[in-house]
Amino acid sequence: MILREDLEKLEYEKLSPYATKSAETKGRKILEDKDEVRTEFQRDRDRIIHSKALRRLMHKTQVFLAPEGDHFRTRLTHTLEVSQIARTIARALSLNEDLTEAIALGHDLGHTPFGHNGEDFLNQKHPGGFSHNVQSLRVVDVLEKNHSGRTMNLTDEVRDGIVNHSGSAMPYTLEGQIVKFSDRIAYINHDIDDAIRGGIISENDIPKECIEHIGYDHRSRINFLVKDIIKASDGKDMIYQSDEAFKYMNILRDYMFEAVYRNPIVKQNAELEKIQTLIFSLYDYFMQHPEELPAELQELSKKDGLNEVVKDFVAGMTDRYAINLYGELFVPAGWKLRR
Protein backbone atom coordinates (compact mmCIF):
# COMPACT_ATOMS: atom_id res chain seq x y z
CA MET A 1 0.00 0.00 0.00
CA ILE A 2 1.27 3.47 -0.92
CA LEU A 3 0.60 5.98 1.84
CA ARG A 4 0.77 9.77 1.92
CA GLU A 5 4.26 9.73 3.41
CA ASP A 6 5.45 7.56 0.52
CA LEU A 7 4.00 9.99 -2.02
CA GLU A 8 5.62 12.93 -0.25
CA LYS A 9 9.01 11.16 -0.38
CA LEU A 10 8.52 10.44 -4.09
CA GLU A 11 7.95 14.13 -4.73
CA TYR A 12 11.39 14.93 -3.31
CA GLU A 13 12.97 12.13 -5.36
CA LYS A 14 11.21 12.69 -8.70
CA LEU A 15 10.12 16.31 -8.96
CA SER A 16 12.13 19.37 -9.95
CA PRO A 17 13.78 21.37 -7.15
CA TYR A 18 11.47 24.19 -8.25
CA ALA A 19 8.33 22.08 -7.77
CA THR A 20 6.03 22.81 -4.85
CA LYS A 21 6.22 19.87 -2.46
CA SER A 22 2.99 18.91 -0.73
CA ALA A 23 4.83 18.26 2.54
CA GLU A 24 5.95 21.91 2.52
CA THR A 25 2.52 23.46 1.96
CA LYS A 26 1.83 26.73 3.74
CA GLY A 27 -1.23 24.98 5.05
CA ARG A 28 -4.90 25.73 5.50
CA LYS A 29 -6.69 28.52 7.35
CA ILE A 30 -8.25 25.92 9.61
CA LEU A 31 -5.83 23.23 10.78
CA GLU A 32 -6.83 19.67 9.83
CA ASP A 33 -5.41 16.23 10.48
CA LYS A 34 -3.51 14.88 7.50
CA ASP A 35 -5.00 12.14 5.35
CA GLU A 36 -3.48 8.67 5.51
CA VAL A 37 -3.46 8.12 1.76
CA ARG A 38 -3.69 11.45 -0.07
CA THR A 39 -1.34 14.42 -0.10
CA GLU A 40 -2.69 17.86 0.77
CA PHE A 41 -2.96 18.92 -2.87
CA GLN A 42 -4.72 15.69 -3.82
CA ARG A 43 -7.29 16.41 -1.12
CA ASP A 44 -7.83 19.90 -2.52
CA ARG A 45 -8.32 18.53 -6.03
CA ASP A 46 -10.88 16.01 -4.73
CA ARG A 47 -12.81 18.65 -2.79
CA ILE A 48 -13.10 20.80 -5.90
CA ILE A 49 -14.18 17.86 -8.08
CA HIS A 50 -16.97 17.00 -5.63
CA SER A 51 -18.16 20.59 -5.22
CA LYS A 52 -21.54 21.92 -6.32
CA ALA A 53 -19.79 24.99 -7.75
CA LEU A 54 -17.87 22.84 -10.25
CA ARG A 55 -21.03 21.01 -11.34
CA ARG A 56 -22.80 24.29 -11.99
CA LEU A 57 -20.15 25.25 -14.56
CA MET A 58 -21.74 22.69 -16.89
CA HIS A 59 -24.63 25.11 -17.44
CA LYS A 60 -22.70 28.38 -17.64
CA THR A 61 -21.88 30.10 -20.92
CA GLN A 62 -18.31 30.22 -22.21
CA VAL A 63 -18.66 32.60 -25.20
CA PHE A 64 -21.77 31.80 -27.23
CA LEU A 65 -25.04 32.79 -25.56
CA ALA A 66 -27.47 29.84 -25.55
CA PRO A 67 -25.79 28.09 -28.51
CA GLU A 68 -27.80 25.59 -30.52
CA GLY A 69 -25.64 22.49 -30.55
CA ASP A 70 -24.11 20.04 -28.11
CA HIS A 71 -20.48 20.58 -29.06
CA PHE A 72 -19.95 24.20 -28.03
CA ARG A 73 -17.82 24.78 -24.95
CA THR A 74 -19.31 25.57 -21.57
CA ARG A 75 -17.46 26.94 -18.57
CA LEU A 76 -16.98 23.35 -17.36
CA THR A 77 -15.48 22.03 -20.60
CA HIS A 78 -13.20 25.08 -20.65
CA THR A 79 -12.07 24.16 -17.12
CA LEU A 80 -11.32 20.59 -18.18
CA GLU A 81 -9.30 21.77 -21.18
CA VAL A 82 -7.28 24.13 -18.99
CA SER A 83 -6.63 21.25 -16.61
CA GLN A 84 -5.44 18.97 -19.40
CA ILE A 85 -3.09 21.57 -20.87
CA ALA A 86 -1.73 22.55 -17.46
CA ARG A 87 -1.11 18.96 -16.38
CA THR A 88 0.79 18.23 -19.59
CA ILE A 89 3.11 21.18 -18.96
CA ALA A 90 3.55 20.37 -15.27
CA ARG A 91 4.40 16.74 -16.00
CA ALA A 92 6.95 17.68 -18.66
CA LEU A 93 8.65 20.13 -16.28
CA SER A 94 8.58 17.69 -13.34
CA LEU A 95 6.40 20.03 -11.31
CA ASN A 96 3.57 19.09 -8.96
CA GLU A 97 0.76 17.82 -11.15
CA ASP A 98 -1.72 17.44 -8.27
CA LEU A 99 -1.34 21.09 -7.29
CA THR A 100 -1.58 22.17 -10.92
CA GLU A 101 -4.77 20.18 -11.44
CA ALA A 102 -6.39 21.52 -8.26
CA ILE A 103 -5.75 25.14 -9.29
CA ALA A 104 -6.97 24.51 -12.84
CA LEU A 105 -10.19 22.86 -11.68
CA GLY A 106 -10.91 25.67 -9.22
CA HIS A 107 -9.90 28.71 -11.25
CA ASP A 108 -13.37 29.56 -12.65
CA LEU A 109 -15.66 28.42 -9.82
CA GLY A 110 -16.82 31.99 -9.26
CA HIS A 111 -17.83 32.72 -12.83
CA THR A 112 -21.24 34.27 -13.46
CA PRO A 113 -23.99 33.04 -15.76
CA PHE A 114 -23.74 34.30 -19.36
CA GLY A 115 -19.94 34.32 -19.44
CA HIS A 116 -17.97 37.54 -19.37
CA ASN A 117 -21.08 39.53 -20.27
CA GLY A 118 -22.68 38.44 -17.00
CA GLU A 119 -19.45 39.34 -15.22
CA ASP A 120 -19.41 42.81 -16.80
CA PHE A 121 -23.02 43.54 -15.87
CA LEU A 122 -22.61 42.28 -12.30
CA ASN A 123 -19.48 44.40 -12.03
CA GLN A 124 -21.57 47.43 -13.04
CA LYS A 125 -24.37 46.62 -10.61
CA HIS A 126 -22.56 45.52 -7.46
CA PRO A 127 -21.21 48.48 -5.44
CA GLY A 128 -17.98 46.63 -4.69
CA GLY A 129 -17.45 45.64 -8.31
CA PHE A 130 -17.03 42.06 -9.46
CA SER A 131 -14.13 39.92 -10.69
CA HIS A 132 -14.62 36.23 -11.29
CA ASN A 133 -11.18 35.28 -9.94
CA VAL A 134 -11.88 37.04 -6.62
CA GLN A 135 -15.30 35.41 -6.54
CA SER A 136 -13.73 32.00 -7.18
CA LEU A 137 -11.66 32.48 -4.03
CA ARG A 138 -14.78 33.48 -2.10
CA VAL A 139 -16.50 30.32 -3.30
CA VAL A 140 -13.79 28.05 -1.90
CA ASP A 141 -13.25 30.12 1.27
CA VAL A 142 -16.82 30.96 2.23
CA LEU A 143 -19.69 29.82 0.02
CA GLU A 144 -19.10 26.15 -0.80
CA LYS A 145 -19.89 24.04 2.27
CA ASN A 146 -20.49 20.38 2.91
CA HIS A 147 -23.42 18.92 4.86
CA SER A 148 -21.68 19.59 8.17
CA GLY A 149 -21.17 23.26 7.30
CA ARG A 150 -17.42 23.02 6.66
CA THR A 151 -15.95 25.18 3.90
CA MET A 152 -13.51 23.74 1.38
CA ASN A 153 -10.60 25.06 3.46
CA LEU A 154 -8.05 24.68 0.67
CA THR A 155 -4.30 25.07 0.97
CA ASP A 156 -2.75 28.49 0.48
CA GLU A 157 -0.99 27.40 -2.72
CA VAL A 158 -4.27 26.43 -4.40
CA ARG A 159 -6.04 29.56 -3.17
CA ASP A 160 -3.22 31.76 -4.51
CA GLY A 161 -3.32 30.05 -7.90
CA ILE A 162 -7.08 30.50 -8.14
CA VAL A 163 -7.19 34.20 -7.31
CA ASN A 164 -4.15 35.10 -9.40
CA HIS A 165 -4.97 33.10 -12.53
CA SER A 166 -6.38 36.34 -13.97
CA GLY A 167 -5.15 39.91 -13.70
CA SER A 168 -1.67 41.36 -13.41
CA ALA A 169 -0.48 39.45 -10.33
CA MET A 170 1.48 36.24 -10.85
CA PRO A 171 0.94 33.17 -8.63
CA TYR A 172 3.90 32.45 -6.36
CA THR A 173 4.06 28.75 -7.31
CA LEU A 174 5.21 27.59 -10.73
CA GLU A 175 2.16 25.36 -10.81
CA GLY A 176 -0.10 28.39 -10.46
CA GLN A 177 1.84 30.18 -13.20
CA ILE A 178 1.28 27.20 -15.49
CA VAL A 179 -2.47 27.49 -15.01
CA LYS A 180 -2.36 31.21 -15.80
CA PHE A 181 -0.68 30.49 -19.16
CA SER A 182 -2.85 27.43 -19.81
CA ASP A 183 -6.07 29.37 -19.31
CA ARG A 184 -5.08 31.77 -22.08
CA ILE A 185 -3.94 28.99 -24.40
CA ALA A 186 -7.20 27.14 -23.86
CA TYR A 187 -9.72 29.92 -24.24
CA ILE A 188 -8.19 31.55 -27.32
CA ASN A 189 -7.87 28.28 -29.20
CA HIS A 190 -11.14 26.65 -28.21
CA ASP A 191 -13.00 29.90 -28.87
CA ILE A 192 -11.54 29.84 -32.40
CA ASP A 193 -12.74 26.24 -32.72
CA ASP A 194 -16.26 27.14 -31.56
CA ALA A 195 -16.38 30.22 -33.79
CA ILE A 196 -15.49 28.08 -36.82
CA ARG A 197 -18.11 25.51 -35.81
CA GLY A 198 -20.67 28.27 -35.46
CA GLY A 199 -19.88 29.70 -38.88
CA ILE A 200 -18.67 33.02 -37.46
CA ILE A 201 -15.20 32.66 -38.99
CA SER A 202 -13.36 30.13 -41.11
CA GLU A 203 -9.83 28.74 -40.90
CA ASN A 204 -8.94 31.04 -43.80
CA ASP A 205 -9.91 34.11 -41.74
CA ILE A 206 -7.31 33.50 -39.03
CA PRO A 207 -4.30 35.83 -39.45
CA LYS A 208 -2.01 34.13 -41.92
CA GLU A 209 1.16 34.89 -39.98
CA CYS A 210 -0.26 33.06 -36.93
CA ILE A 211 -1.19 30.00 -38.96
CA GLU A 212 2.25 29.90 -40.55
CA HIS A 213 4.08 30.15 -37.24
CA ILE A 214 1.99 28.30 -34.66
CA GLY A 215 -0.22 25.93 -36.63
CA TYR A 216 -2.91 25.40 -39.24
CA ASP A 217 -5.48 23.76 -36.96
CA HIS A 218 -6.68 23.61 -33.34
CA ARG A 219 -4.54 20.63 -32.42
CA SER A 220 -1.29 21.94 -33.89
CA ARG A 221 -1.69 25.40 -32.35
CA ILE A 222 -2.17 24.04 -28.84
CA ASN A 223 0.68 21.58 -29.36
CA PHE A 224 3.01 24.40 -30.45
CA LEU A 225 2.10 26.67 -27.54
CA VAL A 226 2.37 23.92 -24.92
CA LYS A 227 5.79 22.78 -26.16
CA ASP A 228 6.93 26.39 -26.35
CA ILE A 229 6.25 26.91 -22.65
CA ILE A 230 7.93 23.63 -21.75
CA LYS A 231 11.09 24.56 -23.68
CA ALA A 232 11.17 28.16 -22.46
CA SER A 233 10.65 27.15 -18.80
CA ASP A 234 12.82 24.04 -18.55
CA GLY A 235 15.19 24.36 -15.61
CA LYS A 236 13.92 27.84 -14.74
CA ASP A 237 12.45 29.13 -11.49
CA MET A 238 9.55 30.79 -13.33
CA ILE A 239 7.23 29.83 -16.17
CA TYR A 240 8.00 31.53 -19.45
CA GLN A 241 6.69 31.80 -22.98
CA SER A 242 8.97 32.64 -25.89
CA ASP A 243 8.77 36.10 -27.43
CA GLU A 244 7.58 34.51 -30.67
CA ALA A 245 4.70 32.63 -29.03
CA PHE A 246 3.76 35.66 -26.94
CA LYS A 247 3.63 37.82 -30.08
CA TYR A 248 1.37 35.49 -32.04
CA MET A 249 -0.85 34.75 -29.05
CA ASN A 250 -1.51 38.48 -28.75
CA ILE A 251 -2.24 38.75 -32.46
CA LEU A 252 -4.73 35.88 -32.14
CA ARG A 253 -6.31 37.45 -29.07
CA ASP A 254 -6.72 40.81 -30.81
CA TYR A 255 -8.20 39.07 -33.83
CA MET A 256 -10.69 37.17 -31.65
CA PHE A 257 -11.87 40.36 -29.97
CA GLU A 258 -12.44 41.98 -33.34
CA ALA A 259 -13.90 39.01 -35.20
CA VAL A 260 -15.71 37.06 -32.48
CA TYR A 261 -15.98 38.54 -28.99
CA ARG A 262 -17.38 41.83 -30.30
CA ASN A 263 -19.08 40.31 -33.33
CA PRO A 264 -22.73 41.47 -33.52
CA ILE A 265 -23.76 37.96 -34.56
CA VAL A 266 -22.26 36.48 -31.40
CA LYS A 267 -23.09 39.37 -29.08
CA GLN A 268 -26.30 40.84 -30.43
CA ASN A 269 -27.18 44.11 -28.72
CA ALA A 270 -30.75 42.96 -28.15
CA GLU A 271 -29.53 39.81 -26.40
CA LEU A 272 -27.00 41.72 -24.30
CA GLU A 273 -29.75 44.12 -23.22
CA LYS A 274 -31.83 41.14 -22.11
CA ILE A 275 -28.94 39.77 -20.07
CA GLN A 276 -28.34 43.17 -18.49
CA THR A 277 -32.01 43.47 -17.62
CA LEU A 278 -32.01 39.98 -16.15
CA ILE A 279 -28.88 40.50 -14.02
CA PHE A 280 -29.95 43.95 -12.81
CA SER A 281 -33.53 42.84 -12.09
CA LEU A 282 -32.52 39.77 -10.09
CA TYR A 283 -29.98 41.80 -8.11
CA ASP A 284 -32.53 44.53 -7.30
CA TYR A 285 -35.25 42.03 -6.44
CA PHE A 286 -33.22 40.22 -3.79
CA MET A 287 -31.93 43.48 -2.37
CA GLN A 288 -35.59 44.38 -1.81
CA HIS A 289 -36.64 40.86 -0.74
CA PRO A 290 -33.75 39.42 1.28
CA GLU A 291 -36.13 37.05 3.05
CA GLU A 292 -36.36 35.09 -0.21
CA LEU A 293 -32.64 34.39 -0.35
CA PRO A 294 -31.47 30.88 0.64
CA ALA A 295 -31.30 30.55 4.43
CA GLU A 296 -27.52 30.21 4.52
CA LEU A 297 -27.10 33.47 2.59
CA GLN A 298 -29.54 35.28 4.84
CA GLU A 299 -27.41 34.22 7.78
CA LEU A 300 -24.18 35.21 6.00
CA SER A 301 -25.62 38.66 5.21
CA LYS A 302 -25.50 39.49 8.94
CA LYS A 303 -21.72 39.26 8.75
CA ASP A 304 -20.86 40.27 5.18
CA GLY A 305 -23.74 42.59 4.28
CA LEU A 306 -26.73 42.18 1.99
CA ASN A 307 -25.04 43.50 -1.16
CA GLU A 308 -22.30 40.92 -0.86
CA VAL A 309 -24.60 37.90 -0.53
CA VAL A 310 -26.98 39.08 -3.26
CA LYS A 311 -23.92 39.30 -5.51
CA ASP A 312 -22.96 35.77 -4.39
CA PHE A 313 -26.43 34.45 -5.20
CA VAL A 314 -26.62 35.98 -8.68
CA ALA A 315 -23.03 35.01 -9.56
CA GLY A 316 -23.65 31.40 -8.53
CA MET A 317 -26.63 30.93 -10.84
CA THR A 318 -26.44 28.87 -14.00
CA ASP A 319 -27.76 30.41 -17.22
CA ARG A 320 -30.94 28.35 -17.18
CA TYR A 321 -31.60 28.86 -13.47
CA ALA A 322 -31.28 32.63 -13.88
CA ILE A 323 -33.64 32.60 -16.88
CA ASN A 324 -36.21 30.41 -15.12
CA LEU A 325 -36.06 32.44 -11.91
CA TYR A 326 -36.46 35.68 -13.84
CA GLY A 327 -39.53 34.21 -15.51
CA GLU A 328 -41.04 33.18 -12.18
CA LEU A 329 -40.45 36.58 -10.62
CA PHE A 330 -41.21 38.97 -13.46
CA VAL A 331 -43.34 37.25 -16.12
CA PRO A 332 -47.07 37.00 -15.29
CA ALA A 333 -48.25 33.40 -15.21
CA GLY A 334 -50.89 33.97 -17.88
CA TRP A 335 -48.29 35.19 -20.37
CA LYS A 336 -46.34 31.97 -20.04
CA LEU A 337 -49.27 30.00 -21.46
CA ARG A 338 -49.28 31.88 -24.76
CA ARG A 339 -47.57 30.45 -27.80
Side-chain angles (χ1 to χ4, degrees):
M1 180 167 59
I2 299 177
L3 300 177
R4 172 182 52 79
E5 292 93 336
D6 301 315
L7 295 175
E8 291 174 346
K9 290 177 183 177
L10 281 173
E11 289 181 357
Y12 285 104
E13 294 172 7
K14 302 292 185 181
L15 296 185
S16 161
Y18 300 116
T20 306
K21 312 303 190 295
S22 55
E24 298 177 8
T25 174
K26 294 184 178 181
R28 309 177 187 276
K29 286 188 173 182
I30 302 172
L31 188 64
E32 299 181 17
D33 293 334
K34 293 186 180 296
D35 189 78
E36 182 182 13
V37 175
R38 295 170 299 164
T39 67
E40 294 300 280
F41 300 143
Q42 288 175 336
R43 295 176 77 190
D44 284 358
R45 176 202 59 204
D46 295 349
R47 289 178 185 185
I48 294 169
I49 286 175
H50 291 286
S51 68
K52 299 184 295 294
L54 184 69
R55 294 196 293 274
R56 288 197 299 271
L57 297 183
M58 177 171 54
H59 298 293
K60 294 194 178 191
T61 291
Q62 176 63 23
V63 172
F64 291 88
L65 302 175
E68 294 182 3
D70 295 332
H71 296 152
F72 290 95
R73 269 76 170 186
T74 65
R75 190 59 56 178
L76 179 60
T77 53
H78 162 72
T79 294
L80 296 177
E81 291 184 28
V82 173
S83 177
Q84 178 271 318
I85 290 170
R87 285 188 296 108
T88 298
I89 296 171
R91 187 183 301 126
L93 293 173
S94 296
L95 298 176
N96 196 312
E97 197 172 336
D98 294 323
L99 172 57
T100 305
E101 185 177 20
I103 295 169
L105 291 173
H107 82 281
D108 267 356
L109 292 180
H111 234 297
T112 60
F114 310 111
H116 287 288
N117 299 114
E119 180 176 13
D120 291 342
F121 292 135
L122 193 52
N123 182 53
Q124 294 173 29
K125 188 65 178 175
H126 181 56
F130 183 88
S131 298
H132 76 273
N133 55 318
V134 175
Q135 186 68 14
S136 295
L137 186 62
R138 181 165 170 81
V139 168
V140 302
D141 280 354
V142 178
L143 300 176
E144 181 78 28
K145 295 180 180 179
N146 63 14
H147 294 300
S148 64
R150 188 193 70 183
T151 65
M152 296 176 80
N153 194 33
L154 303 181
T155 58
D156 191 75
E157 291 81 0
V158 174
R159 295 175 62 255
D160 168 76
I162 288 174
V163 76
N164 289 317
H165 85 271
S166 179
S168 59
M170 187 64 74
Y172 65 76
T173 66
L174 270 65
E175 292 80 2
Q177 294 172 29
I178 286 174
V179 173
K180 193 178 184 80
F181 279 98
S182 299
D183 183 38
R184 200 169 188 229
I185 292 172
Y187 82 72
I188 289 176
N189 285 284
H190 65 47
D191 290 351
I192 290 174
D193 194 44
D194 278 354
I196 292 172
R197 178 175 291 108
I200 307 302
I201 61 173
S202 72
E203 288 280 4
N204 293 330
D205 295 325
I206 301 171
K208 186 177 180 181
E209 56 186 325
C210 293
I211 289 178
E212 291 175 346
H213 284 85
I214 66 176
Y216 286 85
D217 57 23
H218 178 74
R219 175 183 178 182
S220 59
R221 285 190 289 271
I222 290 180
N223 190 51
F224 173 90
L225 293 167
V226 166
K227 289 182 177 178
D228 176 84
I229 288 178
I230 292 169
K231 293 174 183 176
S233 307
D234 187 28
K236 308 285 180 54
D237 61 356
M238 284 191 69
I239 301 302
Y240 294 96
Q241 187 175 50
S242 72
D243 292 340
E244 178 191 22
F246 182 76
K247 171 186 173 181
Y248 291 114
M249 279 282 285
N250 281 336
I251 292 174
L252 274 181
R253 185 175 183 272
D254 291 343
Y255 165 73
M256 288 298 290
F257 268 96
E258 178 183 350
V260 178
Y261 301 144
R262 298 190 182 117
N263 189 308
I265 297 175
V266 178
K267 302 293 175 68
Q268 301 175 34
N269 288 335
E271 295 302 306
L272 293 178
E273 289 173 4
K274 292 175 184 177
I275 293 171
Q276 182 183 43
T277 298
L278 185 150
I279 295 289
F280 284 15
S281 297
L282 290 176
Y283 190 98
D284 288 338
Y285 180 86
F286 287 103
M287 285 298 299
Q288 297 164 12
H289 302 277
E291 72 281 358
E292 296 186 31
L293 286 167
E296 62 271 19
L297 290 181
Q298 292 184 44
E299 185 64 27
L300 186 60
S301 70
K302 299 174 184 177
K303 172 178 173 288
D304 292 350
L306 183 58
N307 279 108
E308 188 72 4
V309 300
V310 168
K311 175 264 296 176
D312 293 336
F313 189 44
V314 175
M317 295 179 184
T318 63
D319 295 19
R320 65 182 183 180
Y321 179 84
I323 292 170
N324 290 338
L325 183 58
Y326 179 87
E328 291 175 11
L329 295 175
F330 299 106
V331 179
W335 291 6
K336 298 177 187 178
L337 299 178
R338 296 179 182 178
R339 292 292 185 268

Coordinates of all heavy atoms in Angstrom, one line a residue, residues 17 26 38 57 79 82 113 134 192-193 204 226 230 246 271 294 330 339:
P17 N 13.6 20.6 -8.4 CA 13.8 21.4 -7.2 C 12.9 22.6 -7.1 O 12.7 23.2 -6.0 CB 15.3 21.7 -7.2 CG 15.7 21.5 -8.6 CD 14.8 20.4 -9.2
K26 N 2.0 25.7 2.7 CA 1.8 26.7 3.7 C 0.6 26.4 4.6 O 0.4 27.1 5.6 CB 1.7 28.1 3.1 CG 3.0 28.6 2.4 CD 2.9 30.0 1.8 CE 4.2 30.4 1.2 NZ 4.0 31.8 0.7
R38 N -3.8 10.4 0.9 CA -3.7 11.4 -0.1 C -2.8 12.6 0.5 O -2.8 12.9 1.6 CB -5.1 12.0 -0.4 CG -6.0 11.1 -1.2 CD -7.4 11.6 -1.2 NE -8.0 11.9 0.1 CZ -9.0 12.7 0.3 NH1 -9.6 13.3 -0.7 NH2 -9.5 12.8 1.5
L57 N -20.8 24.7 -13.4 CA -20.2 25.3 -14.6 C -20.6 24.6 -15.9 O -20.5 25.1 -16.9 CB -18.6 25.1 -14.4 CG -18.0 25.8 -13.3 CD1 -16.5 25.6 -13.3 CD2 -18.3 27.3 -13.3
T79 N -12.9 24.5 -18.3 CA -12.1 24.2 -17.1 C -11.3 22.9 -17.3 O -10.1 22.7 -17.0 CB -13.0 24.0 -15.9 OG1 -13.5 25.3 -15.6 CG2 -12.3 23.5 -14.7
V82 N -8.4 23.5 -19.7 CA -7.3 24.1 -19.0 C -6.5 23.1 -18.1 O -5.3 23.1 -18.1 CB -7.8 25.3 -18.1 CG1 -6.7 25.9 -17.2 CG2 -8.4 26.4 -19.0
P113 N -23.3 33.5 -14.6 CA -24.0 33.0 -15.8 C -23.7 34.0 -16.9 O -23.3 35.1 -16.7 CB -25.5 33.1 -15.3 CG -25.5 34.1 -14.2 CD -24.2 34.0 -13.5
V134 N -11.7 36.7 -8.0 CA -11.9 37.0 -6.6 C -13.1 36.3 -6.1 O -13.1 35.7 -5.0 CB -12.1 38.6 -6.4 CG1 -12.4 38.9 -5.0 CG2 -10.8 39.3 -6.9
I192 N -11.7 29.9 -30.9 CA -11.5 29.8 -32.4 C -12.3 28.6 -32.9 O -13.0 28.7 -33.9 CB -10.0 29.8 -32.8 CG1 -9.4 31.1 -32.5 CG2 -9.9 29.4 -34.3 CD1 -7.8 31.1 -32.7
D193 N -12.1 27.5 -32.3 CA -12.7 26.2 -32.7 C -14.3 26.4 -32.7 O -14.9 26.0 -33.7 CB -12.3 25.1 -31.8 CG -12.6 23.7 -32.3 OD1 -12.4 23.5 -33.5 OD2 -13.1 22.9 -31.6
N204 N -9.6 30.1 -42.9 CA -8.9 31.0 -43.8 C -8.9 32.5 -43.3 O -8.2 33.3 -43.8 CB -9.6 31.0 -45.2 CG -9.4 29.7 -45.9 OD1 -8.4 29.0 -45.7 ND2 -10.3 29.3 -46.7
V226 N 2.0 24.7 -26.1 CA 2.4 23.9 -24.9 C 3.9 23.6 -24.9 O 4.6 23.8 -23.9 CB 1.5 22.6 -24.9 CG1 2.1 21.6 -23.9 CG2 0.1 22.9 -24.5
I230 N 7.1 24.7 -22.3 CA 7.9 23.6 -21.8 C 9.4 23.9 -22.1 O 10.3 23.9 -21.2 CB 7.5 22.2 -22.3 CG1 6.2 21.8 -21.7 CG2 8.6 21.2 -21.9 CD1 5.6 20.6 -22.4
F246 N 4.5 34.6 -27.6 CA 3.8 35.7 -26.9 C 3.2 36.6 -28.0 O 2.1 37.1 -27.9 CB 4.7 36.4 -26.0 CG 4.1 37.6 -25.3 CD1 3.2 37.3 -24.2 CD2 4.3 38.9 -25.6 CE1 2.6 38.4 -23.5 CE2 3.7 39.9 -25.0 CZ 2.9 39.7 -23.9
E271 N -29.7 40.9 -27.4 CA -29.5 39.8 -26.4 C -28.7 40.3 -25.2 O -29.0 39.9 -24.0 CB -28.8 38.6 -27.1 CG -29.6 38.0 -28.2 CD -30.9 37.4 -27.7 OE1 -30.9 36.6 -26.7 OE2 -31.9 37.7 -28.3
P294 N -31.7 32.1 -0.1 CA -31.5 30.9 0.6 C -31.1 31.2 2.1 O -30.4 32.2 2.4 CB -30.3 30.2 -0.1 CG -30.4 30.8 -1.5 CD -30.9 32.2 -1.3
F330 N -40.9 37.8 -12.7 CA -41.2 39.0 -13.5 C -42.2 38.8 -14.6 O -42.7 39.7 -15.2 CB -39.9 39.7 -14.0 CG -39.0 40.1 -12.9 CD1 -37.8 39.4 -12.7 CD2 -39.3 41.2 -12.1 CE1 -37.0 39.8 -11.6 CE2 -38.5 41.6 -11.1 CZ -37.3 40.9 -10.8
R339 N -48.5 31.0 -26.8 CA -47.6 30.4 -27.8 C -47.7 31.3 -29.1 O -48.7 31.7 -29.5 CB -47.8 29.0 -28.1 CG -47.6 28.1 -26.9 CD -46.1 28.0 -26.6 NE -45.8 27.0 -25.5 CZ -45.8 27.4 -24.2 NH1 -46.0 28.6 -23.9 NH2 -45.5 26.4 -23.3

